[in-house]
Amino acid sequence: MAAANQAFHEALVAMSGSVQLQQLMGRVLAEMRLVFHAMNAQPDFHTHYVEENAGLVELLRAGRRSDAAEALRGYLDAAEAELLAHLPA
């Protein structure tokens, strides 16, 4: 599930067409793999993000890019807070 989620976000960034953003995302995803490794005690961590990803796809398909960007910001903020809550101090 983690690999599929990362592939989804990588594909979103690839849609930008920006090589610099894609390179930056590659580095971010590499770091995230390390964080996800620490989440082994939470095997279903990524499960609820599947619906979030589907919602982003629907917004993009409908041409609602601003709404998708806003939803993604909220999604990433929530994911960050959830990850930080599970990691040891």
Side-chain angles (χ1 to χ4, degrees):
M1 187 69 74
N5 189 53
Q6 287 200 317
F8 172 78
H9 288 282
E10 190 171 32
L12 281 180
V13 172
M15 289 172 49
S16 74
S18 168
V19 172
Q20 289 177 322
L21 280 178
Q22 291 175 54
Q23 290 172 344
L24 175 62
M25 188 61 167
R27 290 189 298 274
V28 168
L29 291 175
E31 290 181 22
M32 291 307 299
R33 280 190 285 279
L34 295 173
V35 172
F36 294 151
H37 180 71
M39 297 293 291
N40 282 339
Q42 302 289 328
D44 63 339
F45 170 74
H46 292 91
T47 305
H48 65 279
Y49 290 104
V50 172
E51 288 183 26
E52 299 273 352
N53 291 346
L56 291 171
V57 169
E58 290 305 314
L59 289 170
L60 291 170
R61 282 186 176 154
R64 297 172 54 196
R65 294 174 63 151
S66 293
D67 292 337
E70 184 177 331
L72 183 57
R73 277 190 292 277
Y75 170 121
L76 294 175
D77 286 344
E80 178 185 35
E82 186 175 359
L83 282 168
L84 290 174
H86 289 296
L87 294 176

